[in-house]
Amino acid sequence: MKAKVVIVGGGVMGVAIAWHCARRADPLAEPIVLLEKKALAAGASGRSGAILRQHYSDRVVAAMARDSLHVYSALERATGRSIGFQRTGVLTLAGPSKPDEIVLIERNVAMQREIGIVTRLVGAREIRRLVPGIAVDEGAVGAYEEGGGGVDPVLTVRAFAALAREHGAVTRIGTACTGLIVRKGRAIGVRTEDGDIEAEQIVIAAGPWTKRFLARAGVDVPLRVVRPEQHFLAMPAGVAGDSPSRAASTIEDRSQAQVSEAPSPARAFDGPSIEGMLDDRLGSTESELAPAAHPVLLDLEHGLYMRCESHASELGLPAPRTRVGRMDHSQDREIADPDELDETVSAEFERWARDSLVRRMPVYRARESVGSIVGLYNMSPDAQALIGPLPELAGVFLVSGFSGHGFKLAPSIGEGVAQMLWGEPVSAFDTEFFSPDRFEKGAARWGRAFGL
Ligand SMILES: Cc1cc2nc3c(=O)[nH]c(=O)nc-3n(C[C@H](O)[C@H](O)[C@H](O)COP(=O)(O)OP(=O)(O)OC[C@H]3O[C@@H](n4cnc5c(N)ncnc54)[C@H](O)[C@@H]3O)c2cc1C
């Protein structure tokens, strides 16, 4: 078989890339072939919190999160496929005990508003209105994105794969890629358990398996895999404050002066009005899922994040539940082989998760624990992905190292990678920013957990 592009990996990146490539390819003459060794979303994607936030410190990534959120929010209505989209709002929160974090949030919000992201600074009083029952001190500052929320990661991966197939892509699920076929210094195809496939381009989107896979071809990529733990509590009912659609767009407290200096999104954004698109879509894509008890919280002060999840879990966790994870993954154990994942979650982590959650949201005090999971973060040195042709081996295109925050970016990644492979002008992201050889060139950036 001969393919235009072979994609290794059926996580959210592989299927998003397959979808966008298939839209450009001739399925008879030069098909797009995706290989997934186990099941769609069997890797990091199926365990993901799938939080859709736009709060980033880097303009490049914030813009991708903005554009991808548009796709996620419109997908159900446009395609009729459910992805479990929930627009809950997202609050990134800093407390007075960490003034540096407050400065960061203020700077980020100003930058994000310049590029048309609908976000605003909120002070303690407004935070309590948005999230009744939350414990915040006077002087706390948050960034509130009313358009953010989350999706069901497994449904989303399946939906992208189905869209790819509708455009003629071949998805071989349960077929492992066992190696690369290299001739005269160029990869010209892949070996699989079911035979060889010739390909013009081979995209490695194998998530945490990428480093080991490429090592077998003699290529060392600067990635390492860590194993974060996640704990779940039963979601309480009805603590939600103003829903995103009802939330006022006023800016209050001490934040007002800074924010009012920022250009308005309508003026700064080069394209259709995002605010208008949000108004049009608010509430229109919410499924019958139980409403979230409160917005997603990214708590920089106590170092945790939490998301109310109403969708069924492939991992057997009862819904609705609230996911709690740690922002700092420096304590997470590094693992050599993702196929040997130790699924044990420590009692110490579960205690920390419950205590930290209750400290911020006392309403959880009596909520029962409903399970825990471990995940896989595929870390790059600066916590941003590596995307582009592999300098060491022609014919191979790397899309990996999303460092625990890639799910929300997948629509932009799919589009941008397809643009790169087809030699089109790349509008979806800045290719230099993600260049796999940026570390050798000394162009590595400041890297902070989750790009925050
Ligand atoms: C616990 C957790 C919470 C997260 N929360 C968020 C969040 O809230 N928001 C957010 O934006 N991001 C989040 N992320 C990050 C996000 O989920 C990942 O960045 C994203 O899922 C990575 O997708 P991927 O396709 O690169 O990798 P994966 O989903 O790991 O996919 C790789 C696939 O490749 C397959 N594969 C490997 N080797 C081969 C081979 N040789 N042949 C064929 N197939 C192969 C694997 O089986 C796997 O299915 C979270 C991640 C975790 C683990």
Side-chain angles (χ1 to χ4, degrees):
M1 180 178 196
K2 184 156 192 237
K4 168 90 175 163
V5 180
V6 166
I7 299 158
V8 180
V12 71
M13 299 307 164
V15 293
I17 295 163
W19 173 28
H20 284 276
C21 286
R23 290 167 65 181
R24 289 165 167 83
D26 174 350
L28 295 178
E30 40 178 23
I32 306 303
V33 178
L34 179 139
L35 302 172
E36 165 51 52
K37 68 175 180 171
K38 205 169 172 195
L40 289 173
S45 298
R47 293 164 188 258
S48 182
I51 293 168
L52 309 179
R53 75 170 144 102
Q54 303 157 96
H55 193 94
Y56 273 98
S57 300
D58 279 298
R59 186 178 285 253
V60 170
V61 195
M64 293 166 74
R66 173 201 68 197
D67 295 346
S68 294
L69 179 60
H70 288 192
V71 175
Y72 281 124
S73 62
L75 198 93
E76 293 183 325
R77 200 166 54 180
T79 68
R81 293 181 188 283
S82 174
I83 58 169
F85 179 81
Q86 284 200 295
R87 197 188 293 283
T88 61
V90 177
L91 179 68
T92 305
L93 182 62
S97 65
K98 293 191 181 163
D100 289 357
E101 306 282 14
I102 292 179
V103 171
L104 184 72
I105 284 189
E106 289 173 343
R107 206 176 52 215
N108 287 350
V109 167
M111 175 272 287
Q112 290 154 13
R113 289 173 66 89
E114 276 172 25
I115 61 169
I117 290 175
V118 180
T119 182
R120 62 195 164 100
L121 289 171
V122 288
R125 185 157 42 93
E126 174 74 340
I127 291 169
R128 290 187 202 108
R129 189 177 73 79
L130 291 166
V131 192
I134 193 170
V136 283
D137 295 330
E138 287 311 310
V141 169
Y144 185 64
E145 306 163 44
E146 62 186 82
V151 287
D152 174 337
V154 177
L155 280 188
T156 303
V157 171
R158 289 182 186 154
F160 286 168
L163 290 166
R165 281 192 295 266
E166 272 172 23
H167 286 279
V170 177
T171 55
R172 292 201 179 164
I173 312 304
T175 303
C177 177
T178 51
L180 299 171
I181 306 168
V182 180
R183 199 169 295 154
K184 294 184 185 153
R186 181 183 175 88
I188 55 153
V190 294
R191 302 209 184 282
T192 82
E193 293 164 330
D194 298 330
D196 295 351
I197 306 174
E198 268 183 70
E200 269 178 41
Q201 292 280 350
I202 299 143
V203 175
I204 308 299
W209 288 265
T210 302
K211 189 178 179 76
R212 284 172 74 84
F213 181 85
L214 287 173
R216 287 204 297 272
V219 179
D220 184 32
V221 284
L223 295 171
R224 64 190 184 92
V225 181
V226 299
R227 179 189 166 282
E229 298 176 320
Q230 313 263 287
H231 187 48
F232 298 84
L233 278 78
M235 185 179 87
V239 296
D242 277 4
S243 73
S245 51
R246 280 183 290 121
S249 55
T250 53
I251 297 137
E252 57 112 37
D253 290 6
R254 66 196 207 85
S255 319
Q256 187 152 16
Q258 292 111 312
V259 171
S260 55
E261 284 165 16
S264 82
R267 267 183 286 132
F269 179 61
D270 182 23
S273 153
I274 291 180
E275 304 244 26
M277 292 169 79
L278 283 178
D279 288 346
D280 186 35
R281 290 175 189 157
L282 278 173
S284 64
T285 54
E286 304 259 342
S287 38
E288 302 88 51
L289 296 169
H294 52 78
V296 170
L297 295 178
L298 300 163
D299 185 340
L300 304 185
E301 187 176 27
H302 298 335
L304 74 158
Y305 63 86
M306 58 200 95
R307 179 196 166 192
C308 297
E309 297 180 350
S310 303
H311 54 269
S313 157
E314 297 284 304
L315 299 163
L317 302 163
R321 59 184 172 265
T322 300
R323 174 188 295 252
V324 187
R326 208 190 312 251
M327 304 287 285
D328 174 15
H329 43 66
S330 62
Q331 299 168 48
D332 293 338
R333 202 192 315 158
E334 193 163 336
I335 57 169
D337 183 358
D339 285 326
E340 300 292 322
L341 186 64
D342 173 4
E343 301 273 4
T344 320
V345 175
S346 67
E348 180 272 328
F349 175 78
E350 290 184 345
R351 227 177 2 255
W352 173 87
R354 171 177 281 280
D355 291 350
S356 306
L357 177 61
V358 169
R359 181 146 65 126
R360 184 58 85 199
M361 294 287 292
V363 66
Y364 281 94
R365 192 175 305 281
R367 305 305 296 172
E368 62 173 318
S369 298
V370 294
S372 295
I373 61 163
V374 294
L376 296 157
Y377 288 163
N378 186 26
M379 303 300 302
S380 80
D382 63 3
Q384 297 293 355
L386 310 180
I387 304 170
L390 205 59
E392 297 89 342
L393 188 54
V396 178
F397 196 101
L398 183 63
V399 185
S400 199
F402 286 90
S403 305
H405 63 96
F407 206 100
K408 69 183 76 56
L409 309 175
S412 290
I413 300 293
E415 184 175 12
V417 170
Q419 289 171 331
M420 288 178 83
L421 292 172
W422 261 257
E424 299 168 8
V426 180
S427 59
F429 52 75
D430 174 353
T431 55
E432 283 299 309
F433 185 92
F434 294 110
S435 163
D437 60 358
R438 63 183 182 269
F439 307 104
E440 287 145 42
K441 287 182 181 159
R445 291 168 299 274
W446 173 70
R448 201 178 131 105
F450 305 118
L452 274 162

